[in-house]
Amino acid sequence: MAEAVPVRCPACLRENGYTVPVFPCACGSPVVPPLDLAAEPLPLTRRTWSETWVTVRCGACGREGEWPHPEVGCASCGTVVRIPVHPLTAEPGAGSPGHPTPRPRPAPAHPAPDADASGPGPGQGRSQGRGAAVGRAGAGAGPGHASSPAARRPAFRPLTIRTARDAVTTAALYLRWLGFQDVRQPDGRPVPSAAVDLRAPGLVAQVDPTTAPAGLRAVECVWLNGLTSCATSVYFALAGYTDEARIRADDLGIPLFVMDLTGMPQPVNDPADELLGTGA
């Protein structure tokens, strides 16, 4: 696993720990995006398909593949920032058998695997969404927490997010990894402009797969649903949260998670940290 590196938020100037994800090349060698830490991270205000992927060359076989662009959510203000990556440099003999040409980018409508057919297992890389999680491997256990539920869980295996269905599937897998049983998701493909409900005994969760930050009303709605069902309320978002939503979630004790395109949910407030540490 790659080491955690500090990334400064351009909005509040707080440094957040980020662990570069490790991707598997077709030849079996690990591929790590080469971060350009000398360049300033850019706040992510909207997502476009072409900008969410970066071309990375395998150092072993020279193959060039498309992988999710590194991103991290600020633990202080909730801003999602995109981390610059060094561009590819031309290599002699590109296109020869030892240097395959880049493969075409997959289509956005590629179907995602069903959540029931997947399960948590050993993972290799993950990004860190809060400063307290720097150096936390997989489940987030650290020295002095060997007997905690987080330490006993295997590392979460993320699912790369390419569609709204992928986002919902990832959230369902993560909730099962936390210990919630019988997590259910609606049949059919989620509507990209609406949050999707996930239910389990003692759990009410919502997943926002849109490119706009989740607002105050969304947080209050999931809290009311949980209050009515006498269940824990949890919220997942791709584009982070507004300041009002974060403050209200802290007041109500609602765990907030932000998901990057590698499929690794990151806690962005203290209730989320607590849920990650104790599990269901």
Side-chain angles (χ1 to χ4, degrees), residues 3-267:
E3 295 183 358
V5 296
V7 177
R8 187 180 297 275
C9 174
C12 67
L13 303 183
R14 171 170 177 167
E15 285 193 349
N16 297 272
Y18 176 74
T19 301
V20 187
V22 180
F23 302 109
C25 178
C27 72
S29 300
V31 176
V32 180
L35 301 185
D36 185 1
L37 298 179
E40 288 293 328
L42 302 175
L44 183 60
T45 57
R46 66 183 184 91
R47 294 184 186 274
T48 62
W49 181 254
S50 61
E51 294 178 351
T52 54
W53 300 93
V54 63
T55 303
V56 181
R57 180 182 293 121
C58 175
C61 70
R63 181 187 300 271
E64 296 176 5
E66 299 286 334
W67 301 103
H69 201 295
E71 299 172 2
V72 63
C74 179
S76 179
C77 66
T79 300
V80 179
V81 298
R82 179 169 288 154
I83 306 172
V85 175
H86 287 290
L88 286 180
T89 56
E91 285 190 357
S96 63
H99 297 82
T101 55
R103 291 171 294 176
R105 179 179 285 113
H110 183 71
D114 185 74
D116 292 333
S118 304
Q124 288 196 351
R126 65 162 291 179
S127 56
Q128 306 295 340
R130 292 182 59 81
V134 176
R136 182 172 56 198
H145 295 80
S147 60
S148 67
R152 296 192 295 268
R153 286 195 300 264
F156 176 70
R157 187 176 69 181
L159 171 70
T160 301
I161 297 176
R162 292 185 173 92
T163 65
R165 167 63 74 181
D166 291 343
V168 177
T169 300
T170 295
L173 291 174
Y174 193 76
L175 290 169
R176 292 170 187 167
W177 177 75
L178 287 175
F180 292 101
Q181 302 297 321
D182 192 26
V183 179
R184 306 184 306 276
Q185 62 185 47
D187 295 330
R189 189 179 302 277
V191 179
S193 60
V196 178
D197 286 332
L198 289 175
R199 299 296 178 100
L203 170 73
V204 171
Q206 279 199 327
V207 185
D208 187 350
T210 67
T211 57
L216 174 64
R217 183 176 179 181
V219 168
E220 290 182 338
C221 283
V222 74
W223 172 72
L224 288 172
N225 289 336
L227 190 64
T228 303
S229 304
C230 297
T232 301
S233 301
V234 184
Y235 207 98
F236 295 85
L238 272 181
Y241 303 87
T242 63
D243 291 340
E244 294 82 2
R246 285 173 52 85
I247 293 172
R248 187 61 170 155
D250 288 341
D251 293 340
L252 299 175
I254 299 176
L256 301 181
F257 292 88
V258 63
M259 297 186 291
D260 60 22
L261 294 181
T262 64
M264 178 57 70
Q266 307 166 31

